[in-house]
Amino acid sequence: MQTKILDPNCEKTYALAASLLAQGGLVAFPTETVYGLGASIWNEEAVRSIFRVKGRPFDNPLIAHLYDFSQVEEIVHCIPSIFWILAHAFFPGPLTIVLEKKQHISSIATAGLQTIAFRMPAHPVAQNLLKMVKIPILAPSANLSGKPSPVTAEHVWEDLEGKIPLILDGGRVPLGIESTVISLFDPENPLLLRPGTITQEAIEDVIKKSLKKPALSSKPISPGMKYRHYAPNAKIVTFKTIDELNHHLTLHPKLPRIVLSNDELGDLHFNASCLYAAFRLADQKKCQEICIYLDPKSLQDVALMNRLNHASCQ
Ligand code: TXA
Ligand code: MG
């Protein structure tokens, strides 16, 4: 299959993308978090093909991407009042909510769970596409399973060239890590399933109660979190002071490496927007190590540290 990368600067491109989706094709598109690989929620063969193309295990459910609130009612069984409080505060934006699904939603999409995850992306390209296609679009991150989520159209191309017909190129995405996921399945006891840019504190401030973590059990509530996340081939070495980092660099000056630091020593900044790009770059350049200066502010960034920890444990 020939894969096109198009700059979504005109109606015609959106019309092409929307018609591919409506016919059961897959289209990669930018969101404010990472690029997504979209398929129509109403086409079971298309939903299956997402898993096939990504090499994604069938027990890892997908997030539906919506354009307006009437679409929430299309897919969710019953909307609790806490949902509206969160939606008014954070939609559209990088927050995914899990609620009981309507019966007719494909159990392939939800990996057999009785719940469905959904969000309203804030990226204009995602919004234009969803508005035109008028169908809830399921979209996991547009990478091969086991690779870092893509933050540019080129990353999507690296992983999926020849496997999908179209990538909408919206440039580099603004945030760089996946959405915060919370479950409102039990509205009295909301759970934080995945940290993200919208912090636990910001959510708790709005809902006026604390978010719990899911209890450890044999059946994970958010199956995606149990999978081994991407670990770059290069060793990740972290430093708590600039002096330690400097010392390390002078001891081994020639080692092929990338340095992530929010000062002049860094090849790239250490932040959400650079993390996945740095992993891909390190592997491309066959680096032996990725040296990261964990400055005090970054150490407080729960979502960034969560993704770094997942990548660091081999
Ligand atoms: O920012 C994002 O969320 C990106 C963009 C493309 O929207 N998408 C994304 O999708 O990160 P994915 O498939 O890479 O991650 C989906 C996460 C997984 O951890 C999965 O287990 C969880 O959401 N999830 C999906 N449906 C769920 C459900 N019904 N109950 C609990 N967790 C669910
Ligand atoms: Mg993913």
Side-chain angles (χ1 to χ4, degrees), residues 158-176:
E158 264 169 42
D159 282 11
L160 302 181
E161 191 262 321
K163 298 182 168 185
I164 60 172
L166 180 60
I167 302 168
L168 296 182
D169 184 354
R172 198 183 179 100
V173 297
L175 297 179

Side-chain angles (χ1 to χ4, degrees), residues 29-35 93-94 119 121-126 150-153 169-178 197 271-276 301:
F29 60 94
T31 80
E32 74 278 34
T33 58
V34 299
Y35 275 72
R119 75 183 196 92
H123 196 289
V125 173
V151 299
T152 65
D169 184 354
R172 198 183 179 100
V173 297
L175 297 179
I177 57 169
E178 308 84 348
T197 315
N271 59 28
S273 154
C274 293
L275 189 70
Y276 291 145
D301 185 333

Side-chain angles (χ1 to χ4, degrees), residues 296-310:
K297 190 160 165 256
S298 303
L299 277 169
Q300 305 289 315
D301 185 333
V302 176
L304 177 63
M305 293 307 295
N306 169 272
R307 303 310 191 273
L308 177 62
N309 288 335
H310 275 297

